[in-house]
Amino acid sequence: MKANSPFPSRTVALYMVRLFLVRTFGILAALVLVLQALDLLSESAKILAYPGNTDAQVWHYVSMRMPQIIARFLPFSVLLGTILTLMQLNQNSEVISMKASGLSAHQVLAPLLVASLGVAAISFLFNDRIVSRATATLTQWEKVDYGPLPVDSGTRGNVWVRDGANLIRVDRIDGRGNSAVLSGITVYERQGGRLLSILTAKQGRYNGREWRVDGATRFTVGIGKLEQLGTLHVASGVRPDQFTLATVDPDSLSFRALREAIADLEAAGRPTKALDGALWHKLSSPLSSVLMPLLGAVAGFGVARSGRLFIRAVIGMALGFAYFVADNFALAMGNLGAYPPFLAAWAPFLLFLLIGELVLIRTEE
């Protein structure tokens, strides 16, 4: 190994990375198979209950549900993979040999930290490109009780918005911001909780203050009269984001799409703290894989024949699971507005980074 290198020799580093990755993804594969099978026990009956559904729909469900399971349990797999790798190295006295050659605990862990950083990058891309799309499609499919899968055309449909006492229903919304176009507009004009008339229009566009609708007709309930109104302006108190961003599910959006949705909401003066926390969490969640070698490092140091190797492995698992509990708690507090968004996403990561470093230094001593 090189004199001032932060890593062991190239051979040793590759050996450790191979052990780590094989065990991590092996554990992940086993977890995904077991959890997917358990999930199918409850969902397959619902899928097949829809007339016309066959095994093809069940496998289609698996293709969308499995990415969610992989994303959720990848950090757990990194934790267990780290502990198993370090336990083996400790039992074979390989950690002692590396420390005897002059390596510090951080240098011993360096290959695992670099490998976990690569896993974190893969996790972010996987979540951003695959999991978000699978979640969006699966959510829509569940809403129709696993019927014909809705086609994701980039538009929104069947949106209801309140305008004072009136209710507005839109069949379809294309575009976003001031370029949004409404199709199939129905306005239920009410007063004192009583329906006065129903206004319908083929299409509507926003002119900066109100909506200009074309092909409008009004049916007056009290006298049963239908009027052809042509073009008129309605819903002066309704902004475009109320149609296009009626509901924002951060799990169903990529990092870029969620950032754009937050920008639109901020421009409209709507609260975005919960979404800000979810945006930061899209970065901190994949990086949790980098923490796992630090939290599981307690299993790799100390004399294996002392009989405490199993206890140290349990301590490493306890630290890792404590992080996941703290992360979920902080995110929940952020959604409730009790924590600032940045703190909700990053506080558990920074806290357990310090804890991992402290445990590693104390173990080395």
Side-chain angles (χ1 to χ4, degrees), residues 219-284:
F219 176 75
T220 304
V221 176
I223 59 176
K225 180 181 178 183
L226 181 64
E227 301 176 86
Q228 299 292 333
L229 304 178
T231 300
L232 71 157
H233 295 84
V234 298
S236 58
V238 179
R239 304 179 306 272
D241 66 278
Q242 291 179 256
F243 290 106
T244 58
L245 299 174
T247 56
V248 177
D249 180 12
D251 295 332
S252 300
L253 297 175
S254 65
F255 182 84
R256 180 179 178 181
L258 180 57
R259 186 173 58 183
E260 291 176 350
I262 291 173
D264 289 344
L265 290 172
E266 288 178 341
R270 294 172 62 181
T272 62
K273 285 188 176 181
L275 295 178
D276 286 333
L279 183 69
W280 282 116
H281 197 256
K282 284 182 178 288
L283 297 177
S284 65

Side-chain angles (χ1 to χ4, degrees), residues 274-322:
L275 295 178
D276 286 333
L279 183 69
W280 282 116
H281 197 256
K282 284 182 178 288
L283 297 177
S284 65
S285 179
L287 279 177
S288 64
S289 297
V290 182
L291 280 180
M292 297 305 110
L294 281 176
L295 299 180
V298 66
F301 299 95
V303 182
R305 59 178 178 270
S306 66
R308 297 181 179 178
L309 182 59
F310 178 74
I311 295 177
R312 290 197 299 273
V314 172
I315 293 173
M317 286 189 287
L319 286 173
F321 285 110

Side-chain angles (χ1 to χ4, degrees), residues 78-143:
V78 174
L79 173 65
L80 297 177
T82 297
I83 292 174
L84 291 179
T85 299
L86 293 176
M87 285 180 67
Q88 178 179 337
L89 294 175
N90 196 352
Q91 285 179 323
N92 296 337
S93 299
E94 291 166 306
V95 172
I96 295 176
S97 299
M98 286 186 281
K99 293 190 71 176
S101 67
L103 293 178
S104 66
H106 287 86
Q107 287 175 302
V108 173
L109 286 179
L112 302 188
L113 291 172
V114 173
S116 63
L117 188 60
V119 172
I122 294 172
S123 176
F124 174 78
L125 293 175
F126 181 74
N127 294 345
D128 201 55
R129 299 295 180 181
I130 297 176
V131 177
S132 59
R133 296 176 183 178
T135 300
T137 304
L138 185 57
T139 300
Q140 294 299 320
W141 199 23
E142 289 174 344
K143 289 181 179 178

